[in-house]
Amino acid sequence: MRIDCKHVWEHISSYIDGDVDASLRAEIDRHLETCEICSAVLDSTRNVVVLMADDRVFELPTGFSERLHARLDQELELDDLPRT
Amino acid sequence: MTFERPELEMECIQRILAGEKHLFHGLIQPCEHSIYFLLLSMLHNEAEAEDAAQETAIKVYRNLHLFRGESKFRTWVLSIARNEGLGRLRKAGSLREDSLEAMAEDQEGDFTPAILTSWREIPSETLEKKELAHLLREAIQALPEIYRNVVLLRDIEEMDGRETAAALGISEAAVKVRLHRARLMLQRELAGKLKGFAPRRGLFRWGA
Ligand SMILES: [Zn+2]
């Protein structure tokens, strides 16, 4: 039985993560060979995932790190009790 | 972004607890990004997220002796960040998490992708364009929170399913379902808008 487009979409995220079993992967691959819609849906979704992960998308505010470590320094100075 | 070997992390923690306090800066540094953006996702306010991130780091330091190494250090840190965020939401009287969580998995909703017949790859270098990064950020921020948190930890902080589940206090199965829905929502929202960023064919340099 051939799987349909909707069935492919249900597994897109797991497919991108390489988290589908071998037989399902083979079925999806066979479907992708002849379905330009699912190929485009898969490529665009994967493209979004890759772009999102880029460091340039979510950058820390300027000076965030400096302010955090300055505050930590205050805390570290206050704390002189040994811990167990 | 984290210590590659957990035993080095544990050793670092032991030394901090034994008095080499300054080592804490290096221990927390790889977690800063995840802490801040998880809190920003929860609190929707940069100044408050930054303050909450600082509080989180201080709580991590004060409670360091309680870390037993059962989870990854970052997972433990993020659950502290999440509690800090929840505490602030509770105080502000805007905590709706329980009802959201209950609805989440059986939410009907439309999780079908935008239908396309072709896709031209947008290479990562295109992110030099500020508008592209801005579009992506906006789309992620517009996701319902339960989806946004999962996308943030899985796709942006690149944590695995187990770590994400532990940090957010949900099951691994829920992480998978939410990540799947979130990615499709993002594809749907962004496919049309991103098309214009694809390199035009005439600009390809052949051979190179
Ligand atoms: Zn198809």
Side-chain angles (χ1 to χ4, degrees):
Chain A
M1 193 197 78
R2 268 187 70 92
I3 53 172
D4 61 14
C5 297
K6 251 196 139 160
H7 195 154
V8 171
W9 301 343
E10 277 168 27
H11 296 286
I12 277 194
S13 179
S14 318
Y15 182 92
I16 289 174
D17 291 335
D19 189 20
V20 290
D21 63 50
S23 67
L24 180 58
R25 170 162 294 268
E27 275 189 84
I28 294 175
D29 286 339
R30 219 175 316 135
H31 180 99
L32 290 171
E33 275 169 28
T34 54
C35 180
E36 58 182 14
I37 291 176
C38 287
S39 302
V41 167
L42 173 68
D43 289 346
S44 56
T45 308
R46 186 161 29 209
N47 202 171
V48 166
V49 170
V50 169
L51 291 173
M52 242 180 352
D54 194 284
D55 291 346
R56 284 165 286 194
V57 179
F58 285 95
E59 286 180 335
L60 283 168
T62 316
F64 172 89
S65 223
E66 290 78 357
R67 292 189 292 274
L68 174 70
H69 289 278
R71 179 129 176 231
L72 278 174
D73 271 329
Q74 290 176 359
E75 172 69 21
L76 265 54
E77 266 169 48
L78 284 176
D79 166 62
D80 266 321
L81 298 168
R83 286 158 200 275
T84 44
Chain B
M1 279 190 48
T2 44
F3 280 74
E4 289 300 321
R5 290 162 57 200
E7 64 272 23
L8 292 182
E9 207 165 62
M10 275 318 268
E11 192 195 307
C12 180
I13 291 168
Q14 294 312 322
R15 288 172 62 186
I16 295 166
L17 292 174
E20 289 182 80
K21 298 186 290 184
H22 64 281
L23 292 176
F24 185 73
H25 290 288
L27 181 70
I28 199 75
Q29 196 274 333
C31 305
E32 284 172 25
H33 194 272
S34 335
I35 297 173
Y36 175 75
F37 284 103
L38 178 62
L39 285 163
L40 182 61
S41 167
M42 297 176 78
L43 301 169
H44 304 279
N45 176 299
E46 290 183 9
E48 171 134 41
E50 177 161 347
D51 189 61
Q54 294 180 358
E55 276 309 313
T56 299
I58 288 170
K59 283 182 183 162
V60 169
Y61 177 70
R62 288 184 186 157
N63 290 296
L64 201 56
H65 61 290
L66 297 175
F67 178 66
R68 294 276 176 262
E70 285 136 0
S71 63
K72 289 190 184 174
F73 179 66
R74 181 167 60 161
T75 310
W76 184 70
V77 168
L78 287 181
S79 61
I80 294 175
R82 189 170 151 269
N83 282 330
E84 177 68 25
L86 289 174
R88 286 173 186 240
L89 290 173
R90 211 170 283 129
K91 221 178 270 171
S94 55
L95 189 66
R96 296 169 304 134
E97 213 204 22
D98 292 347
S99 52
L100 277 176
E101 291 287 340
M103 273 165 45
E105 257 60 65
D106 37 51
Q107 208 171 46
E108 276 303 314
D110 185 3
F111 302 106
T112 55
I115 306 298
L116 314 160
T117 52
S118 67
W119 181 257
R120 251 184 307 140
E121 183 78 11
I122 300 163
S124 292
E125 302 82 78
T126 319
L127 283 164
E128 291 302 330
K129 293 189 179 153
K130 294 265 185 273
E131 317 96 84
L132 177 57
H134 181 75
L135 271 180
L136 288 162
R137 239 181 347 257
E138 261 191 350
I140 294 161
Q141 274 154 5
L143 289 173
E145 176 171 335
I146 58 163
Y147 298 118
R148 190 172 58 238
N149 290 344
V150 169
V151 154
L152 194 71
L153 299 189
R154 283 286 279 109
D155 282 342
I156 292 149
E157 303 300 337
E158 300 180 62
M159 289 167 51
D160 63 26
R162 216 174 120 199
E163 242 191 307
T164 302
L168 296 177
I170 57 179
S171 69
E172 275 186 74
V175 168
K176 270 191 197 178
V177 170
R178 292 180 195 186
L179 181 64
H180 175 73
R181 291 177 175 177
R183 284 169 169 177
L184 287 186
M185 283 189 266
L186 290 170
Q187 187 271 1
R188 202 180 155 101
E189 169 65 21
L190 289 166
K193 294 180 181 170
L194 294 190
K195 268 186 178 169
F197 289 93
R200 268 172 292 146
R201 292 193 191 284
L203 294 180
F204 273 126
R205 275 179 295 143
W206 300 101

